[in-house]
Amino acid sequence: MENVFFKDIESVAQMLKVQEVSPIDLTKKLLERIQSINPVLNAYITLMSKDALEQATVLEKELKEGIIRGSLHGIPIALKDIFETKGSVTTSGSRIFENFISQKDAEIVKLLKKAGAIIIGKANLHEFAMGATTENPHYGPSRNPWNILKIPGGSSGGSAVAVAAGMAFAAIGTDTGGSIRLPSALCGVVGLKPTYDLISTDGCTPLSKSLDHIGPMTRTVADSRILLQVMADAKKLERVDLSIRLKDLKGVKVAICKDYFFEGMDEEIAIHIHQALAKLENLGAEIIEVDIVGIQEALQAQKIIFKAEAYAFHESMFMDKSHLYGEDIQFRLQAGKDVLASEYIQAKQYQQAFQQHIEHKMQAEQIDVFFSPTNIIPPFDIGSVGPEESVNNIFRLGKTPLGNLLGLPILSVPCGFTSERLPIGFQIMGRMFEEGKVLAIGEVYEQSEGWVSYLERNEVYQIEKTM
């Protein structure tokens, strides 16, 4: 049974289908594993043991009757603790919501359950998803399973840890400035930020409504495709071709922009990023270098929109209960309080103009995807950055925020390790609703390298030995 914890969804689904393993036994063993390892890694805030076993019992009965709900039937997954789950607490990583019992399931939770997924628990996160490290002052920091002294990235840090350490077969996160992609890269898993609003945010605590995205965090690109098909809005999914598969990358045009995207990289990470780019070229891709006008203005617009929209949601709570927020979140919200309406309007106008600029460039130059590093430095030590400095961590760690301003689909794929065995990832960004092509390109690379996107068993045992 121990070997099953690091298998991909398709493999586990087949085992369940032929009754090599049962949903009840799988859920029980996974819960035991989480209870053993979570005290060290702190991936979960809430373990939904009772609900998970009840779901497993129903799903096992259905399997015996020949009923299969969908591609996730009997598969335990984790949810970032920012999605409502009916009858259980949804903290959003804060003390303010520590007793908030949801009266409904978030839209994605409904879809996941309909497809047969078992919700195993609610994963830890940076408070209110407003940071890049998952150093949560209320529920404790999540720890990177490759080195428990290091951050896992954020804000969906607990979700990435759960997948990487065999504590869930997949997890669902949110991404407003890189919060799926960064922790996926830092923990060595696959992270997908889909096209804006392809997946409904209903029942998800907002951070910045016009920048928020929901997406899967998985061990393989194929698993991301499975989850996207389940969670996406059915009508909008008609615009996405998830049937695309590629044998190689001949005919694929990959663009790079060295300005900004390739700046500030750690030397060791730069080597792996350029090796990954060379591998894409060896697989048949045409690599072109392009210039993008207005990047710094776009980054500034992203910051203004983020600050203003975050403060708008939190304003009444922050005025009454500011002392309950972590120090770094207080700094962020104070900054949002000072944004002028005119600045916000101008930033939104620039967002639209920048989106049109990139769309035009991709069309005019027949660009299939943009390539860039996901993380530009390795994960740093937990507790090494103060609250005021942490405000800019997402810009320090990676090149992800522009993707949210653009609303385009972006996939982060593991591409190796530093000499200290800390993971590295690159990201590829496609055109609106071209998730199928983005996933297909990522899958060709993944299969060519054979990267193992999860912890080796002996390293997990090292974690267990520290308890």
Side-chain angles (χ1 to χ4, degrees), residues 130 207 305-316 318-319 332-338:
M130 214 177 296
L207 175 50
I305 293 167
F306 173 92
K307 290 189 291 186
E309 292 185 349
Y311 183 74
F313 174 75
H314 286 275
E315 183 176 23
S316 60
F318 189 61
M319 289 176 67
R332 283 182 176 270
L333 291 175
Q334 285 289 356
K337 185 178 180 181
D338 298 331

Side-chain angles (χ1 to χ4, degrees), residues 48 51 55 59 62 69-70 72-74 77 79 84-88 104-119 230:
M48 298 177 66
D51 289 347
Q55 291 175 60
L59 292 165
E62 290 177 355
R69 294 190 188 186
L72 299 175
H73 194 111
I77 69 168
L79 296 176
E84 293 189 55
T85 44
K86 187 176 181 180
S88 64
K104 65 172 185 177
D105 279 334
E107 182 62 24
I108 64 149
V109 177
K110 294 176 187 175
L111 293 171
L112 289 165
K113 287 181 177 178
K114 184 179 179 181
I118 295 170
I119 309 303
V230 167

Side-chain angles (χ1 to χ4, degrees), residues 6-8 145-146 160-166 184-185 187-191 217-221 223 412-417 423 446 450-456:
F6 295 113
K7 288 186 178 293
D8 63 287
W146 295 93
V161 172
V163 177
S184 292
C187 291
V189 300
V190 174
M217 305 169 78
T218 59
R219 298 200 182 104
T220 66
V221 175
D223 283 355
S412 179
V413 183
C415 66
F417 304 87
E446 177 187 68
W451 291 119
V452 177
S453 59
Y454 48 78
L455 283 173
E456 295 177 3

Side-chain angles (χ1 to χ4, degrees), residues 46-326:
T46 302
L47 199 55
M48 298 177 66
S49 305
K50 183 174 179 292
D51 289 347
L53 288 169
E54 287 175 355
Q55 291 175 60
T57 301
V58 172
L59 292 165
E60 184 164 324
K61 182 174 182 293
E62 290 177 355
L63 270 180
K64 289 178 179 178
E65 294 171 352
I67 300 169
I68 298 178
R69 294 190 188 186
S71 54
L72 299 175
H73 194 111
I75 305 290
I77 69 168
L79 296 176
K80 185 175 184 176
D81 194 15
I82 201 167
F83 300 107
E84 293 189 55
T85 44
K86 187 176 181 180
S88 64
V89 67
T90 301
T91 70
S92 297
S94 76
R95 283 181 61 196
I96 291 169
F97 287 175
E98 63 186 344
N99 296 313
F100 171 59
I101 304 297
S102 308
Q103 300 303 307
K104 65 172 185 177
D105 279 334
E107 182 62 24
I108 64 149
V109 177
K110 294 176 187 175
L111 293 171
L112 289 165
K113 287 181 177 178
K114 184 179 179 181
I118 295 170
I119 309 303
I120 199 84
K122 311 290 283 293
N124 200 359
L125 66 151
H126 207 109
E127 184 179 3
F128 280 119
M130 214 177 296
T133 66
T134 315
E135 294 173 284
N136 192 302
H138 315 300
Y139 302 98
S142 289
R143 296 181 177 276
N144 194 310
W146 295 93
N147 182 333
I148 61 173
L149 299 179
K150 306 291 184 181
I151 62 163
S155 62
S156 309
S159 299
V161 172
V163 177
M167 302 164 76
F169 292 98
I172 312 304
T174 63
D175 192 311
T176 307
S179 290
I180 287 173
R181 291 163 287 149
L182 269 176
S184 292
L186 295 183
C187 291
V189 300
V190 174
L192 173 65
K193 181 195 79 65
T195 299
Y196 178 73
D197 207 33
L198 178 58
I199 297 177
S200 171
T201 56
D202 180 55
C204 173
T205 305
L207 175 50
S208 175
K209 287 290 284 185
S210 63
L211 303 174
D212 290 345
H213 297 64
I214 292 171
M217 305 169 78
T218 59
R219 298 200 182 104
T220 66
V221 175
D223 283 355
S224 288
R225 185 185 291 112
I226 290 170
L227 280 157
L228 179 63
Q229 193 152 22
V230 167
M231 295 191 298
D233 176 270
K235 193 68 177 174
K236 291 172 182 171
L237 191 61
E238 293 175 2
R239 299 177 63 182
V240 180
D241 184 1
L242 291 179
S243 68
I244 297 173
R245 301 292 189 278
L246 299 173
K247 292 182 180 179
D248 54 43
L249 300 182
K250 292 175 182 175
V252 173
K253 186 176 283 190
V254 177
I256 61 171
C257 175
K258 291 187 177 178
D259 289 344
Y260 171 69
F261 288 101
F262 283 72
E263 293 172 355
M265 271 195 292
D266 171 88
E267 288 184 9
E268 197 172 11
I269 287 178
I271 291 170
H272 286 277
I273 291 297
H274 285 103
Q275 286 175 345
L277 187 60
K279 173 55 70 81
L280 295 180
E281 189 170 27
N282 291 339
L283 290 165
E286 178 187 355
I287 312 297
I288 65 167
E289 189 172 341
V290 299
D291 295 322
I292 297 177
V293 177
I295 289 178
Q296 293 306 319
E297 292 84 352
L299 288 168
Q300 184 60 25
Q302 198 270 355
K303 290 179 182 179
I304 289 169
I305 293 167
F306 173 92
K307 290 189 291 186
E309 292 185 349
Y311 183 74
F313 174 75
H314 286 275
E315 183 176 23
S316 60
M317 293 184 294
F318 189 61
M319 289 176 67
D320 293 339
K321 302 175 181 179
S322 61
H323 63 286
L324 295 180
Y325 288 84

Side-chain angles (χ1 to χ4, degrees), residues 1 12 15-29 56-57 59-61 63-64 73-76 118:
M1 177 67 79
V12 178
M15 293 173 68
L16 288 162
K17 185 178 179 180
V18 300
Q19 299 183 37
E20 183 180 338
V21 63
S22 76
I24 292 175
D25 286 344
L26 183 63
T27 302
K28 283 182 177 178
K29 292 296 184 181
T57 301
L59 292 165
E60 184 164 324
K61 182 174 182 293
L63 270 180
K64 289 178 179 178
H73 194 111
I75 305 290
I118 295 170

Side-chain angles (χ1 to χ4, degrees), residues 380-438:
F380 47 78
D381 287 350
I382 292 170
S384 64
V385 177
E388 291 185 58
E389 298 173 83
S390 72
V391 170
N392 292 314
N393 270 335
I394 200 157
F395 296 94
R396 175 187 174 195
L397 281 163
K399 301 298 185 178
T400 55
L402 278 185
N404 298 84
L405 189 78
L406 291 166
L408 299 176
I410 307 179
L411 179 73
S412 179
V413 183
C415 66
F417 304 87
T418 68
S419 57
E420 295 184 351
R421 290 194 62 76
L422 294 169
I424 303 164
F426 70 78
Q427 56 184 349
I428 48 176
M429 178 177 75
R431 293 168 64 180
M432 198 76 73
F433 295 108
E434 290 197 353
E435 278 81 358
K437 183 183 289 185
V438 168

Side-chain angles (χ1 to χ4, degrees), residues 34-47:
I34 295 168
Q35 288 164 350
S36 172
I37 298 175
N38 198 57
V40 174
L41 296 179
N42 199 29
Y44 288 93
I45 290 176
T46 302
L47 199 55

